[in-house]
Amino acid sequence: MLRQQLVGLSLIPPSIFGFISNWTIVIIVIRYRNLHRSFAILTATIAFFYALGSTFDLFFVSPMIILNINFLKEYSGICGVFSILSYDSTTQFHVVVSINRLIAVFAPLSYNTFFNPRTTKFLIGFIIFLSAIVVSTYLLAVDCRFSFIDDRWTFLITGSDKCEFFGWSMFLGKNLFLSVVNLILHIITFARVLSLKKLVSSHSDWHSQDSLFSPDEVPRLTFGQTIFMSIEIIAYIFPARNIEQDYITFLCSIFLWSTVHAAEGVITLIYNSEIRRKLRKRKKSYRISATKVELPH
């Protein structure tokens, strides 16, 4: 029991970091209208799903494991529906963001043609709708579940052999392919930016005004997210159902996903100048307000 509690407690730190960082990104982008642009909208959408996932890990999964709450385990399949929908959607959103950066670097003059707020919102709705159809087919038509398995300390696909095949082909296999494509796009963008930085001193010829990152920050953002995308692929190549040790299963699934969500949120807050600037501005306004309140005393 103590071992299980320690495993549950280890999930709290990455969940807290993911909860704070990703919800902060969502709130900042929604609050400031000058951030309502294509890249910012996509960034906030991914952060929104990551924030919900971190909230789920912090207030559902962690207490369920630490306190061994059977009621939560019994109904974990309901939360598993959202987990599949969220993970399937965010994988596709990452590919869209990678294409967004690729066009901003290789074809800046055509950027607004492909990515503007209207088309971006339509694309987001389409991806969510498509993922919802896939998840509904998997859960209703094939009659499968994605729920917490007590003796493995993780969420696994349960049901018939048909569920295993459908789960691999529609989720694991597809998302593995998209993750590899995303990684390749990140590397191409990263290499292109480095070559441009060496050839030209001014980046105005390729930097898109609609982009939320500055030229100097593209390498750091792209490199950091490329690293974590590579780590995320491990979860697909070595699925949890093939691991016998319960704590290894936990580390390679729930803990790994939560850590990646937190890391991407923190990287965005650190290296995204626009979001960081708005965050500092908000903190400064709070300090000014607090000073005004204290002046009469």
Side-chain angles (χ1 to χ4, degrees), residues 195-220:
S195 64
L196 287 174
K197 285 172 68 68
K198 293 179 180 179
L199 293 175
V200 295
S201 58
S202 174
H203 302 276
S204 59
D205 58 334
W206 63 271
H207 178 59
S208 170
Q209 293 181 351
D210 190 58
S211 150
L212 190 61
F213 46 88
S214 69
D216 292 332
E217 291 164 354
V218 175
R220 289 177 289 182

Side-chain angles (χ1 to χ4, degrees), residues 31-98:
R31 180 179 177 86
Y32 295 97
R33 294 186 61 84
N34 61 333
L35 294 181
H36 293 183
R37 297 170 295 184
S38 180
F39 184 76
I41 294 171
L42 290 170
T43 300
T45 302
I46 294 176
F48 172 74
F49 280 104
Y50 280 172
L52 288 179
S54 297
T55 303
F56 167 70
D57 290 337
L58 183 61
F59 296 105
F60 183 92
V61 179
S62 184
M64 178 180 64
I65 297 176
I66 296 173
L67 303 177
N68 194 27
I69 304 175
N70 292 324
F71 173 78
L72 296 181
K73 294 178 182 178
E74 184 178 350
Y75 289 94
S76 61
I78 299 176
C79 297
V81 174
F82 165 75
S83 296
I84 295 180
L85 176 63
S86 176
Y87 212 71
D88 187 69
S89 299
T90 51
T91 304
Q92 297 176 73
F93 286 137
H94 270 297
V95 176
V96 175
V97 169
S98 297

Side-chain angles (χ1 to χ4, degrees), residues 10-50:
S10 68
L11 185 62
I12 293 180
S15 299
I16 292 177
F17 277 104
F19 179 88
I20 296 175
S21 61
N22 287 295
W23 278 123
T24 300
I25 295 170
V26 173
I27 293 172
I28 288 177
V29 173
I30 292 177
R31 180 179 177 86
Y32 295 97
R33 294 186 61 84
N34 61 333
L35 294 181
H36 293 183
R37 297 170 295 184
S38 180
F39 184 76
I41 294 171
L42 290 170
T43 300
T45 302
I46 294 176
F48 172 74
F49 280 104
Y50 280 172

